[in-house]
Amino acid sequence: MKTLYDVQQLLKQFGIYVYVGKRLWDIEVMALELDHLHDANVIDHKTFAHAKLVLTHEHRLEEAHENTK
């Protein structure tokens, strides 16, 4: 799992589609949904950790992008 798209595809497997309208908010909601899946033991810890790492990276990139505007 290397991209935000990969995380979206993971969530899609569980019928979770996220579109809030702002990319930063989408990433935050995806992180919450991922937490819920992990807490319910639906996904294993390795998958969870990789997905969280991708989301954290994308969140930082998006914040940096917004701050340069």
Side-chain angles (χ1 to χ4, degrees):
M1 188 167 315
K2 295 181 180 181
T3 66
L4 186 62
Y5 179 75
D6 295 335
V7 177
Q8 288 174 318
Q9 293 306 304
L10 173 66
L11 294 173
K12 186 178 170 183
Q13 290 176 1
F14 299 100
I16 301 170
Y17 297 85
V18 176
Y19 180 76
V20 180
K22 187 174 180 183
R23 185 175 167 87
L24 188 63
W25 296 344
D26 289 346
I27 293 167
E28 291 170 358
V29 172
M30 282 185 236
L32 290 172
E33 292 294 345
L34 197 60
D35 289 340
H36 292 149
L37 289 174
H38 184 254
D39 291 344
N41 292 319
V42 177
I43 57 173
D44 62 73
H45 186 71
K46 183 179 177 183
T47 303
F48 171 74
H50 280 123
K52 280 296 259 200
L53 189 63
V54 169
L55 290 176
T56 301
H57 176 72
E58 290 292 333
H59 193 273
R60 287 185 185 150
L61 289 176
E62 195 61 31
E63 281 183 327
H65 183 260
E66 284 188 359
N67 290 336
T68 59
K69 288 183 181 179

